[in-house]
Amino acid sequence: MSLGLRDLRSESLLPGTSACPGCPENMAMRMVGMSLGKDVVMVVVAGCSSVIQGIGPKNAYGYPVLNIAFAAGPAAASGMWRAFKQRNKNVTVVVWAGDGGTADIGFASLSGAAERNEDFIYLCVDNEAYMNSGGQRSGSTPHGAVTSTTPEGKKENKKELLFIMLDHNVPYLATASVGYPHDLIDKLRVAKEIQGFRYVQVLTPDPYGWLFDPSKTAEVGKLAVQTCYWPLIEVIDRKVKISNESLHCLKKETRRPLKDFLSVQGRYKKLSEKDYQELENYVDDLWERIISML
Amino acid sequence: MMKVISGNEAVALAVKLARVGVVGIYPITPQTTIIEELAEMKARGEISTDVVRVESEHSAMGVTLGAAVSGVRAFTATSSQGLLYMHEMIWWAAGSRAPIVMVVATRAVGAPWNIWNENTDFMSERDSGWIMSFASSPQEALDLTIQAFRISEDPRVFTPMMVGMDGFILSHTKTNVYIPSQEEVDQFIPPRRQPYVIDPETKESMGNIFQPYHYMKLRQSIHDAINESKEVITEVGREYEKLNPLTDYKTLNVSYKLEDADFAVVTMGAWSLDAMEAVDRLRDRGVNVGLYRVRYVRPWAEEEIIQNLGDKKAILVFDRATSLGRAGPLYLEMKATLDNPMKGVIAGLGGVSMGKKDFYEVISRFVEESKEGRLKGVEWYYPREVKEVELGTPRSSI
């Protein structure tokens, strides 16, 4: 794609939101607006994005939003697109949920909607913890990360939503990072043209939870991809395609050292050598599985 | 048209006649046959309704709410544990002022497991901001469900509405039901009306964070709408006479032999008919007693109740539900409405059967007690065969 980001208009955000400085979700929201155009309705489940839109009855999002209880996003979206279909309206329904809403409390609803192949885009903004309530661990928090409920560092690995959703045989699945906006925008544009359940998981590094300077959000999002901690892939009809930005991860020797990603974040300050090894293994396993699917 | 059908079949028919757009379904006993019937109708091509088979009751209300706020008529049904699992979404629907209709086939709530009838599940939702009616026959289940679409979609109301009916006793019992024609229902229920439609054209957004003072005003608006719905309910009830001239819906609640009565019995739901038979027998024996059947829990028909029961010497309230550690919810509501001497009886929980003999026994004892001026507050009543059942409870085993 030859367009620069400045050439792309975003319909999704109005000037002035309640987001924190350096907020990756605001970045992702803008990219959604750059990709999906006008006829979009959003379902926002409990999380930072319920707050970022500001205080009602006004709203800083350019799209109509149904804010809904934590576990109900995919169910509500199922009802919505079916209603639009009955009314002969061509509307793209997007569920916007964090990793807690996706991996934990909302998982049954997500899995049910995916199994029924409901016709909407499910967007998981993965900042790897419950950031809206002060940074508690979620099922998506990686091993070793310090959160407000794992002050000693999380003992378990990140729940692999990518593979779990792959096993639901959804028509479209992709991962992206706010560090690579073009990649995300391209993927959302592809997703928009596909019918059925579309799952997109975006890594959204959070300056306040991951403990880095708010000016570095995009940079940390890039480092996650460069060190192969976060793969950029796309799966259409079970065919796996690796984005250019992640191609170097196919071979272990061309990967950037993982510590380049970990060392810029305060949440890994207490990482022991063993924890570090665990995370390296995690990345190796991740890529082994992806390669096995090629 | 008259047809012998069960309460659950009557509800499914009402949903069909109301031309519902989206139904979110999840099975739970004893509601199951409602959604099975709807699925059958869909398979036979009798309805254009989108029947969504979801993975939980929480999602059933999620789907229903999503469809309702996006501009189509939506319905779901549940029971017991399912209703409680859905509890969060019931509040979300009320707060969204989304016209939705739900039928609750009532059932006891565990633990321990019990699939039989009790109204505690239904009554535990009375703070959530829904209009709540309760049927006493499959006929009323059908009629109230049809009326619910009209009432909840009235611009003076715009509040979801649930219709309760006694699980198994009504849900699975077949009786003669008068069914209005499709044309009649089409004329009775106007095209879908709702306060907001989420749509790229309208750009409405719902449910984000509100300031405390806005939030409180919104809560009051729901409270006011439910209170003001009394007028709409009676208006809709009067008009429903065109569809079913056999049942009277001109008032919220129903009086039986009350006008000249000194003593009044208050009931709700299916067992009201057994209680009415007991009242008849007592009347034959010269006891001056009448019955008042609660058909609407929300709105609470305060004026109607005072008008009908205000002058009674004593009132006996039957509850098939509990607020454990306190009393039956109907009794508490009546206590808050009337100053008359009053007694509450909790009975029939978890499927314990109450026949007209039991009602006769309790009512005659109540009349004697009130004549002697020794009305007890709240009593747990067990029929003879249950009185003999022994049960080791944690306290008694120590």
Side-chain angles (χ1 to χ4, degrees), chain B residues 160 311 345:
Chain B
D311 62 342
V345 171

Side-chain angles (χ1 to χ4, degrees), chain B residues 241-257:
Chain B
E241 243 172 53
K242 283 185 226 153
L243 279 70
N244 172 9
L246 308 174
T247 319
D248 185 355
Y249 293 102
K250 287 195 281 291
T251 50
L252 274 79
N253 298 336
V254 180
S255 301
Y256 181 72
K257 299 193 176 174

Side-chain angles (χ1 to χ4, degrees), chain A residues 80 83-84 86-87, chain B residues 65-74 192-194 196-199:
Chain A
M80 289 180 102
F84 291 130
Q86 291 225 339
R87 293 171 58 212
Chain B
L65 176 58
V69 298
S70 307
V72 306
R73 195 163 284 152
R192 170 88 175 167
R193 290 179 290 183
Q194 61 187 89
Y196 317 102
V197 181
I198 289 212
D199 188 309

Side-chain angles (χ1 to χ4, degrees), chain A residues 56 62 65 82 87 89 116, chain B residues 50 55 70 199 203 206 209:
Chain A
V65 177
R82 284 159 187 273
R87 293 171 58 212
K89 290 208 148 204
R116 294 191 304 273
Chain B
D50 199 343
E55 67 289 341
S70 307
D199 188 309
K203 292 245 176 195
M206 297 170 66
I209 280 201

